Amino acid sequence: MTSVIDVFDVSKNYGSQHVLENISLNVKRNEIYGLLGPSGAGKTTLVKMIAGIETPTNGRIKVLDTDMPNLHNMTRIGFMAQSDALYVELSGKENLEFFASIYGLKGQKQKERIEHAASLVNLTDYLKRPVHQYSGGMKRRLSLAAALLHEPEILILDEPTVGIDPVLRQSIWNELYKLSDAGTTILVTTHVMDEAEKCGQLGMLRDGRLIASGSPQQLKESTASATIEDAFLYYGGVRNEN
Amino acid sequence: MRTRALVKRIIRQFIRDKRTLAMMFLAPLLILTLVNLVFSGNDYDPEIAVISSQEQMASQLEKADKSFTIYENKTLAAEDLENEKLDAILEINPPTTKITLEGSNPTANKAVMMTVEKTLKSLTPKNNQQTSMETEVTYLHGSADMESFDYIGPFLIGFFIFFFVFLIAGVSFLRERTTGTLERLLATPMRRWEMVAGYVLGFGIFTIIQSAIIVSFSIYVLDIMMAGSIWFVILITLMLAVTALSLGTLLSAFAKNELQMIQFIPLVVVPQVFFSGLFNIETMADWLQPLSYLMPLTYGGQAIRDVMIQGGGWPEIYDEVLVLAGFSLLFMILNVLALKKHRKL
């Protein structure tokens, strides 16, 4: 399996504030990689740098063997931000049309992709409504649909399931598995420990450092923990003792 | 392509936001109407005495406009002028024409001058060289240096367009940042210049409509003096709007929220009122005067006046229009650079 996201020794400072320190990780093709950590750990900053929105202070990031940020690569990445970046005056369909056009999708192809993405997130019946009438969960789903429109090779999702009900969360995860089987690499951040178990690979992030990485199974076994939460506490504790 | 998608989205959003549309299109009309009422009141019907050596000319004038009355006696006319029974005395003794204005009421002065000019023009055949007849104007009181809505109106048209476009464009672009959609756009292959161009074009369409509405309203409803072509006025106001649009989106990069955007008004918009020619710049301190060259409104206001009051055309306004285009381009380039703060590419 080839590596599609490579992060080499990346640090990020905002002024004197160190947000991320010496992060190295890589994500292989088809993998679902979960970044687990409490809020404020630096998850969002890390995925933004991988998506090419931010640039690292030190170190480098390669996506699909190209240094980021790179405009061409951005057409191969789907990004769903933590906040729902939607135009609330417009209808769901108009939002999707806008994002689709930006990725160069037009005509029949655009229509098909919008229908497909909307049906994936169960929004087909609500597309004509203005987004300001949407519930929080519907907005999250519309954001996800917008990230899927251009069939990206890499999908970066920042806290995709916040505020979504368990049934729908399950169906979104099923969809992510399907995309992964079809060849999409998925990088997802979460602060929900049980959700982390659904990922193929995990990186545990705390106070700007990657404290552990591996498959959920490995992480639990090597720390003799019953749950991911225990494993996280174990690694977090080790770091505190140092 | 991507710019077009952005333009289309802006148009759709705008049409949904009725209140902002109303603020852009109707608020300037309301304010202009108020200023017009304050400064000029009702249409003024001047009383003008005609004294002429040519009786035929005098009676023609009397017939052409009810403002004119033939006086045989100059002393009597002078007395009536002093008592404010008359607004002016028109003496026609070819080859000279002499107008004596009572002069204390700017509205009356303007009315007299317009009536005389209009009537003489209508009476003189177009191919007759006599139109170049010299007119000598003297004032019993006051002088030609006066302000009225005709004088400040052209400037106010420019100002209100600048003000409202600056505010609306600035806040819209700011909202793109605060709602996270700017970041979302930066995660797409959209280039920074495409984004700036999209905003200028999308909003530009609405500023065209806005300019056309405000200018037409001022001319046809408020009946502001209009010596030149309406198309030139629309062109200038449009350039001014694009300048305000590019400046507003640029400055929104330095505001964290809507309130901070509004704080730019006293910093950026209000000084333009003082330095752009609404008030007399020549009487200001010498070191202050060059500031007026930095104000886009100086060029816009001057150009609109050139057209509306002096009847100027392209040769009179092209330099001001080019300066405004230069300002717009500069602000747009700076905005492309300012967006670098968010994404390096």
Side-chain angles (χ1 to χ4, degrees):
Chain A
M1 286 216 285
T2 49
S3 180
V4 287
I5 300 174
D6 295 288
V7 177
F8 304 104
D9 204 23
V10 160
S11 301
K12 177 76 182 176
N13 307 333
Y14 289 110
S16 60
Q17 190 197 352
H18 302 288
V19 181
L20 288 172
E21 287 174 72
N22 309 101
I23 307 280
S24 292
L25 58 85
N26 54 71
V27 180
K28 296 189 171 58
R29 193 175 289 281
N30 294 20
E31 202 166 62
I32 300 184
Y33 190 102
L35 271 176
L36 176 69
S39 76
K43 302 184 299 282
T44 297
T45 308
L46 183 56
V47 294
K48 273 192 202 169
M49 289 194 294
I50 295 170
I53 304 170
E54 298 263 6
T55 30
T57 313
N58 287 306
R60 57 198 276 232
I61 293 174
K62 276 181 140 185
V63 172
L64 299 161
D65 279 326
T66 315
D67 279 307
M68 290 302 281
N70 175 285
L71 279 182
H72 174 67
N73 255 4
M74 285 177 175
T75 60
R76 303 163 77 180
I77 298 174
F79 179 68
M80 173 183 172
Q82 194 168 13
S83 63
D84 296 306
L86 300 165
Y87 301 95
V88 293
E89 304 92 339
L90 302 183
S91 70
K93 188 167 179 228
E94 287 167 339
N95 270 280
L96 293 180
E97 280 171 359
F98 172 64
F99 286 111
S101 312
I102 284 190
Y103 285 105
L105 297 168
K106 45 192 153 183
Q108 193 56 32
K109 174 83 176 161
Q110 184 189 85
K111 223 177 134 195
E112 280 169 21
R113 289 302 307 164
I114 288 174
E115 274 167 20
H116 180 69
S119 71
L120 281 185
V121 294
N122 273 335
L123 280 178
T124 310
D125 297 336
Y126 303 96
L127 278 185
K128 291 222 165 73
R129 279 206 207 164
V131 171
H132 65 81
Q133 289 179 6
Y134 277 32
S135 69
M138 287 162 81
K139 285 182 192 163
R140 290 267 71 193
R141 282 141 62 196
L142 187 63
S143 296
L144 179 60
L148 294 172
L149 285 170
H150 58 294
E151 300 174 90
E153 292 168 56
I154 297 172
L155 197 53
I156 299 174
L157 310 170
D158 198 359
E159 306 260 3
T161 54
V162 173
I164 290 185
D165 82 80
V167 179
L168 193 67
R169 180 165 8 154
Q170 190 56 49
S171 83
I172 285 180
W173 270 99
N174 288 340
E175 193 48 49
L176 294 184
Y177 288 133
K178 257 190 264 171
L179 287 167
S180 165
D181 287 341
T184 309
T185 310
I186 298 168
L187 177 63
V188 55
T189 73
T190 180
H191 65 265
V192 186
M193 299 288 170
D194 70 326
E195 204 167 67
E197 304 240 24
K198 300 181 201 283
C199 303
Q201 288 288 313
L202 265 187
M204 291 183 170
L205 208 57
R206 188 167 183 269
D207 289 336
R209 289 165 198 266
L210 195 66
I211 53 175
S213 61
S215 72
Q217 199 58 32
Q218 284 168 348
L219 291 171
K220 281 191 287 187
E221 277 172 9
S222 60
T223 58
S225 313
T227 63
I228 289 292
E229 184 151 7
D230 289 340
F232 193 94
L233 285 172
Y234 175 84
Y235 287 112
V238 169
R239 202 212 138 197
N240 282 349
E241 279 163 22
N242 285 344
Chain B
M1 178 67 204
R2 285 189 286 262
T3 301
R4 210 174 73 198
L6 188 55
V7 171
K8 192 168 159 193
R9 191 207 83 209
I10 289 171
I11 293 172
R12 280 174 162 173
Q13 280 179 300
F14 234 118
I15 291 169
R16 299 289 146 78
D17 192 353
K18 301 274 190 301
R19 203 198 291 203
T20 302
L21 266 185
M23 167 146 149
M24 192 169 172
F25 294 155
L26 301 179
L29 302 190
L30 177 72
I31 298 174
L32 279 171
T33 308
L34 285 175
V35 177
N36 181 43
L37 289 174
V38 168
F39 277 89
S40 50
N42 290 330
D43 270 355
Y44 189 88
D45 280 327
E47 292 296 331
I48 304 167
V50 180
I51 299 169
S52 180
S53 56
Q54 293 180 311
E55 265 186 40
Q56 197 201 347
M57 180 78 173
S59 59
Q60 265 182 342
L61 274 171
E62 203 174 31
K63 248 183 265 162
D65 196 298
K66 62 178 164 50
S67 302
F68 294 102
T69 318
I70 296 174
Y71 274 67
E72 303 291 345
N73 187 330
K74 198 179 170 182
T75 337
L76 190 64
E79 204 174 296
D80 280 354
L81 189 69
E82 188 65 59
N83 297 336
E84 293 188 30
K85 280 183 191 158
L86 283 175
D87 294 304
I89 302 169
L90 175 66
E91 291 171 77
I92 303 175
N93 296 306
T96 60
T97 309
K98 195 175 159 206
I99 302 172
T100 311
L101 289 160
E102 194 275 328
S104 49
N105 182 355
T107 315
N109 294 348
K110 187 88 36 178
V112 168
M113 295 308 291
M114 277 171 64
T115 310
V116 170
E117 210 173 291
K118 208 174 69 192
T119 318
L120 284 181
K121 219 173 195 171
S122 71
L123 290 182
T124 319
K126 282 208 171 66
N127 51 2
N128 194 326
Q129 289 304 305
Q130 270 198 332
T131 34
S132 60
M133 198 163 63
E134 263 189 31
T135 311
E136 188 192 321
V137 182
T138 54
Y139 288 80
L140 189 60
H141 305 291
S143 75
D145 294 331
M146 56 195 176
E147 279 183 346
S148 70
F149 187 67
D150 284 337
Y151 186 63
I152 62 168
F155 175 87
L156 288 178
I157 292 173
F159 174 73
F160 288 127
I161 286 176
F162 190 92
F163 176 74
F164 285 106
V165 171
F166 174 84
L167 197 61
I168 292 168
V171 170
S172 301
F173 201 64
L174 177 88
R175 208 173 286 156
E176 184 103 52
R177 214 148 42 86
T178 54
T179 58
T181 49
L182 177 66
E183 189 178 279
R184 182 66 185 77
L185 286 182
L186 291 171
T188 72
M190 178 168 259
R191 289 164 204 278
R192 284 177 284 132
W193 71 261
E194 288 176 317
M195 211 176 295
V196 173
Y199 256 78
V200 171
L201 290 175
F203 273 85
I205 290 169
F206 288 94
T207 59
I208 290 173
I209 302 171
Q210 186 204 34
S211 297
I213 291 177
I214 295 176
V215 171
S216 314
F217 183 82
S218 303
I219 294 170
Y220 299 115
V221 180
L222 297 184
D223 209 18
I224 192 169
M225 181 175 162
M226 179 65 194
S229 158
I230 184 170
W231 297 107
F232 284 127
V233 180
I234 292 177
L235 173 73
I236 299 161
T237 52
L238 182 63
M239 288 312 298
L240 203 53
V242 173
T243 310
L245 171 61
S246 51
L247 181 62
T249 49
L250 170 63
L251 288 182
S252 74
F254 304 100
K256 285 198 176 67
N257 51 49
E258 277 89 346
L259 185 62
Q260 290 196 348
M261 192 65 217
I262 290 177
Q263 287 161 5
F264 278 121
I265 293 172
L267 285 175
V268 175
V269 179
V270 173
Q272 304 224 34
V273 177
F274 297 113
F275 289 104
S276 59
L278 181 61
F279 298 101
N280 209 337
I281 293 169
E282 284 83 23
T283 57
M284 283 181 195
D286 286 344
W287 64 272
L288 271 175
Q289 291 183 16
L291 276 179
S292 70
Y293 293 114
L294 298 175
M295 310 279 171
L297 214 51
T298 306
Y299 304 94
Q302 190 52 51
I304 298 175
R305 263 184 202 162
D306 282 347
V307 176
M308 295 187 78
I309 298 179
Q310 278 137 36
W314 184 242
E316 282 78 28
I317 61 163
Y318 82 96
D319 46 350
E320 279 119 350
V321 170
L322 286 184
V323 172
L324 288 177
F327 268 120
S328 307
L329 199 63
L330 175 72
F331 295 147
M332 280 158 73
I333 290 169
L334 288 177
N335 202 358
V336 173
L337 294 176
L339 282 172
K340 231 179 179 167
K341 196 168 81 177
H342 301 284
R343 188 179 74 188
K344 291 270 152 54
L345 282 176

